[in-house]
Amino acid sequence: MLCSALGNRVGEIKKLLVKSSNAEREGFARKMKRVLEECEAELTVVREEQTRVIELVRKTTEHYQAGASRDKEASPFQLFVIVKDFLNMVTL
């Protein structure tokens, strides 16, 4: 998902920073390292929040669509597609 893509990008930036560090860029490297540390801390918070939200979506889907959790291939967001389709039919 999005968090893993962001985590991968942060990792790529860290590798690039290590490769490009030299004496004349030392100030930039030090500042960038702090930015990356802050990014990693934020990503940790976002991952935890993402896990919490996915669990709420799973519980909501199970409540309104009993047995849906047994279908492992189904998207947990399928319930929202159903609601969207219903709202489109009602508002026409």
Side-chain angles (χ1 to χ4, degrees):
M1 295 187 87
L2 183 59
C3 288
S4 61
L6 289 172
N8 290 340
R9 294 294 181 174
V10 169
E12 291 172 13
I13 293 169
K14 283 176 105 173
K15 288 177 187 176
L16 185 61
L17 188 61
V18 168
K19 287 180 183 178
S20 67
S21 281
N22 61 28
E24 59 194 42
R25 294 189 187 155
E26 203 56 40
F28 171 77
R30 195 170 38 251
K31 289 179 183 176
M32 194 62 181
K33 185 177 179 185
R34 275 187 273 157
V35 168
L36 289 173
E37 289 169 355
E38 290 175 18
C39 286
E40 289 174 329
E42 278 294 316
L43 276 172
T44 299
V45 171
V46 170
R47 281 186 185 109
E48 291 169 358
E49 189 66 13
Q50 177 183 353
T51 301
R52 188 183 73 78
V53 168
I54 293 295
E55 181 61 21
L56 288 171
V57 168
R58 187 193 64 73
K59 286 179 180 179
T60 303
T61 300
E62 186 59 35
H63 178 77
Y64 287 103
Q65 205 176 359
S69 63
R70 289 184 216 125
D71 186 6
K72 299 299 180 192
E73 293 182 21
S75 169
F77 302 107
Q78 183 63 32
L79 175 67
F80 298 106
V81 173
I82 294 168
V83 170
K84 181 184 124 279
D85 290 346
F86 173 76
L87 291 174
N88 285 338
M89 289 187 317
V90 171
T91 58
L92 290 178

